[in-house]
Amino acid sequence: MGPWLREIHLLTNGAMAPFDAFLLHRSLKTLALRMDRHSENAMAVAHFLEQHPKVERVYYPGLASHPDHQLAKKQMKGFSGMVSFELKGGLDTGIKLVESTKVIVLAVSLGGVESLIEHPASMTHCDHHVSPEVKKASGITDGLIRLSVGIENIEDLIADLKQ
């Protein structure tokens, strides 16, 4: 162990607090069920978005249209709850979408069991934080939306995205 890692270990302790351990243990019992629901819901949302006239492109490895779909099928049991998509109309359209959802929460996080939505161009990667050149090189466009799909009722999630 390197000196800096040893120092961090000594300062932060290597053991969890009992209540944190209890919460972790309790949560692990339902992890498989929650991940299955995340993946199922994300697949349904990705299919919905792929057919939506205001959506330019959907990035989800579970879709046959994804360039790495075959590789994902070999490597993954499910395809996760993370979906990204490009809206037609750019910055204003992206802002309007993320500010209009009611079930899906506007937040920069991977979340827990709830669905979260983010518009990188106006939030985490806005021009005063990230240069246009870096955004372009990173694939961050004005219409990009990131969605962490939760375990809510799928009809509620799709209805929220339709409005």
Side-chain angles (χ1 to χ4, degrees), residues 72-88:
K73 278 175 49 176
K74 291 178 186 175
Q75 293 180 340
M76 304 167 89
K77 177 184 173 204
F79 297 103
S80 88
M82 300 303 299
V83 178
S84 294
F85 58 99
E86 300 276 350
L87 280 176
K88 297 175 183 174

Side-chain angles (χ1 to χ4, degrees), residues 120-121 123-142:
M123 296 169 68
T124 56
H125 295 74
C126 61
D127 286 341
H128 67 273
H129 289 299
V130 180
S131 72
E133 296 80 24
V134 171
K135 282 197 303 190
K136 184 176 181 180
S138 302
I140 307 293
T141 66
D142 286 346

Side-chain angles (χ1 to χ4, degrees), residues 10 20-22 32 38 54 56-57 64 85 87 105 111 120 127 143:
L10 290 173
D20 293 340
F22 162 75
H38 279 295
K54 293 182 180 178
E56 185 76 35
R57 184 170 180 192
F85 58 99
L87 280 176
V105 178
D127 286 341

Side-chain angles (χ1 to χ4, degrees), residues 31-53:
L31 179 61
L33 292 170
R34 289 181 282 121
M35 291 310 299
D36 287 346
R37 184 65 175 264
H38 279 295
S39 292
E40 290 170 16
N41 280 357
M43 180 68 84
V45 166
H47 280 296
F48 163 75
L49 292 170
E50 200 170 41
Q51 302 304 313
H52 198 286

Side-chain angles (χ1 to χ4, degrees), residues 59-116:
Y59 304 99
Y60 185 68
L63 294 175
S65 60
H66 191 279
D68 293 320
H69 176 68
Q70 291 303 319
L71 177 63
K73 278 175 49 176
K74 291 178 186 175
Q75 293 180 340
M76 304 167 89
K77 177 184 173 204
F79 297 103
S80 88
M82 300 303 299
V83 178
S84 294
F85 58 99
E86 300 276 350
L87 280 176
K88 297 175 183 174
L91 191 66
D92 292 337
T93 304
I95 293 169
K96 182 178 177 186
L97 172 64
V98 300
E99 290 180 347
S100 68
T101 57
K102 305 286 187 264
V103 176
I104 303 168
V105 178
L106 177 60
V108 180
S109 175
L110 297 177
V113 296
E114 65 279 348
S115 294
L116 304 175

Side-chain angles (χ1 to χ4, degrees), residues 140-161:
I140 307 293
T141 66
D142 286 346
L144 181 68
I145 302 293
R146 290 182 175 161
L147 185 58
S148 175
V149 182
I151 65 172
E152 301 94 343
N153 179 286
I154 189 58
E155 287 84 13
D156 292 343
L157 295 175
I158 289 176
D160 202 21
L161 292 167

